[in-house]
Amino acid sequence: AGTPLTPLFAGWVSGERPWDSCYGAVAELARSARRFDESPSLYSYVAARHSLALVEELGVEAIGAHDRALADRFRTGLADLGHTPVPAEGSAIVSVPGLGHHAARLAEQGIQVSDRAGNLRAAFHLYNTGADVDRLLETVGTD
């Protein structure tokens, strides 16, 4: 029948009687698949509340416009460097064929992009700035 799976992160919610497992070791794991459940990440809900309040304050449309403006700035800079990104009008994601090999070097410099099938993939969002785009273009342009 195969090797049984071992619950690696068993906590109080993994117990057959969860409320009896709140303190100390879990006396008995649940007989169901719930034995693989993990404790809820309650602190992330506290942070999400504040993050979502910021999104609401700024507005989804304004955030989207910011993201797309950065992507367009990157596309323009790429054209100036002689590179043609995959067409994706209105997208905050830019993929550039043949530049994926830069991803590892960029990561060493603290610039997070992806190598997807040989394409350099950059995705812009609220936490990015024009200076981030300029730094990315400068680093890609030094090759």
Side-chain angles (χ1 to χ4, degrees), residues 87-102:
E89 186 177 334
S91 176
I93 300 171
V94 181
S95 294
V96 193
L99 295 183
H101 65 279
H102 287 287

Side-chain angles (χ1 to χ4, degrees), residues 49-96:
R49 175 178 164 233
H50 296 286
S51 298
L52 292 172
L54 177 61
V55 169
E56 185 177 41
E57 176 185 331
L58 297 175
V60 172
E61 291 304 319
I63 294 169
H66 167 83
D67 301 347
R68 290 185 299 275
L70 292 175
D72 289 344
R73 180 177 180 152
F74 186 48
R75 287 183 184 94
T76 299
L78 287 166
D80 292 345
L81 293 172
H83 301 291
T84 305
V86 173
E89 186 177 334
S91 176
I93 300 171
V94 181
S95 294
V96 193

